[in-house]
Amino acid sequence: MRTQRSRAGSRSAGQDRREADDRYTGDDDRYTDDDYSDDESYDDESYDEEEEVEPIPAGEAAREGLRQVSRLTGRDPSGVTSVQPNGNGWRVGVELVEDHRIPASTDLLGLYEVDLDADGEVLSFRRVRRYQRGKGEVG
């Protein structure tokens, strides 16, 4: 069933809108840019400078990197292999068990690098290499 709209109702809404717009179209010389130029509370430099953010501590970055990579991949964490400062954040090396095997010395491991920002949020991660647990690098 179709209902008809009253043209009078829609016309009055349109008229109301036009009247409201007309209030703002006139030339109003009450306020100029010069009125705000002497305002001492406004400081251009404070809005242009970027705030230096101190990154989270290395230990917290290591824990967060391990947790995030494990969560993203769905694999069991084996441990953190490295933590390095990276700009305003951290690069964390994480070892994950990619395939559990019997005996455990033949598990397949993956070494991942995760880049964290200063707050510990993941920026990127990638698998660097894959290897068998018992045949890792010595040295």
Side-chain angles (χ1 to χ4, degrees), residues 26-32 35:
D27 290 332
D28 192 357
D29 293 332
R30 288 184 294 173
Y31 302 105
T32 65
D35 292 337

Side-chain angles (χ1 to χ4, degrees), residues 11 43 57 76 113 131 139:
R11 186 182 310 153
D43 183 9
D76 295 331
E113 285 183 346
Y131 53 93

Side-chain angles (χ1 to χ4, degrees), residues 46-131:
S46 66
Y47 292 102
D48 293 338
E49 294 177 12
E50 284 190 29
E51 215 174 286
E52 280 294 316
V53 178
E54 189 168 317
I56 60 175
E60 190 177 332
R63 286 186 296 277
E64 191 62 24
L66 180 69
R67 186 179 72 81
Q68 290 283 0
V69 172
S70 177
R71 201 164 148 213
L72 288 168
T73 62
R75 303 188 191 281
D76 295 331
S78 179
V80 173
T81 60
S82 64
V83 179
Q84 301 171 324
N86 184 15
N88 282 340
W90 297 95
R91 175 168 287 166
V92 181
V94 175
E95 195 173 56
L96 300 177
V97 180
E98 294 200 341
D99 190 19
H100 290 279
R101 296 187 177 169
I102 298 175
S105 61
T106 61
D107 284 350
L108 194 56
L109 303 178
L111 180 61
Y112 289 78
E113 285 183 346
V114 59
D115 290 324
L116 305 174
D117 66 9
D119 295 324
E121 296 295 320
V122 174
L123 297 173
S124 67
F125 82 101
R126 67 186 182 107
R127 183 173 60 195
V128 178
R129 61 182 221 134
R130 205 170 173 192
Y131 53 93

